[in-house]
Amino acid sequence: EEMDVEEKNKNITKIFSKVHVNSLPAEEKDISEIRIGDFLLVLPGGRIPTDGMLVAREGTSKIDAAENIDGCAYIDESAFSGEPFPVAKRPGDTLYGASVNQLSVILIQVTATGSETVLSRIVCLVGE
């Protein structure tokens, strides 16, 4: 029997709940090489490159799981909402490409790329 999306998200979060950020291998990739399902590390102040799901954020020494009250990442979504304050996001929450990560290293799983992103769809609607 297939797992639903929420159950998969919980499993992914559990996998990364005890991982040290420094132990994750990282490499820079061109945006054209990013695929749905890829995991991306986004540094503080970095622009989120494409739509995704927050998997984890850097804690004091480990990535915090969803159960941790301090597990929020703060994301500037003002390009979409006009809201001047960063939005608190927890593991499992949706992130939009072109938003800006604020305070900690975050790990996201890509859910959409290219013309399938929310920003791309907004641009298409405005152009019509």
Side-chain angles (χ1 to χ4, degrees):
E1 187 175 312
E2 287 189 31
M3 253 188 258
D4 66 353
V5 173
E6 188 173 320
E7 188 65 29
K8 284 182 183 177
N9 292 348
K10 284 181 185 177
N11 288 340
I12 290 169
T13 301
K14 282 181 185 178
I15 291 168
F16 286 103
S17 67
K18 304 292 184 208
V19 174
H20 288 269
V21 173
N22 294 336
S23 69
L24 295 173
E27 63 182 81
E28 288 194 24
K29 281 189 153 187
D30 188 84
I31 191 73
S32 64
E33 297 176 15
I34 296 173
R35 302 287 178 249
I36 292 173
D38 285 355
F39 290 93
L40 306 175
L41 283 174
V42 182
L43 301 176
R47 197 164 293 278
I48 296 169
T50 189
D51 292 357
M53 177 193 70
L54 180 62
V55 174
R57 71 173 273 291
E58 178 184 26
T60 52
S61 63
K62 294 182 180 183
I63 295 175
D64 292 326
E67 296 81 24
N68 188 327
I69 194 72
D70 297 324
C72 289
Y74 293 91
I75 308 297
D76 176 355
E77 294 182 341
S78 59
F80 295 93
S81 66
E83 175 65 42
F85 301 106
V87 178
K89 299 283 189 169
R90 293 193 178 281
D93 288 349
T94 299
L95 303 176
Y96 304 110
S99 298
V100 180
N101 179 29
Q102 295 294 300
L103 301 174
S104 58
V105 176
I106 61 173
L107 180 68
I108 70 169
Q109 184 175 26
V110 176
T111 58
T113 60
S115 63
E116 298 301 315
T117 63
V118 170
L119 180 60
S120 182
R121 291 184 293 178
I122 290 171
V123 169
C124 287
L125 287 172
V126 170
E128 290 180 357

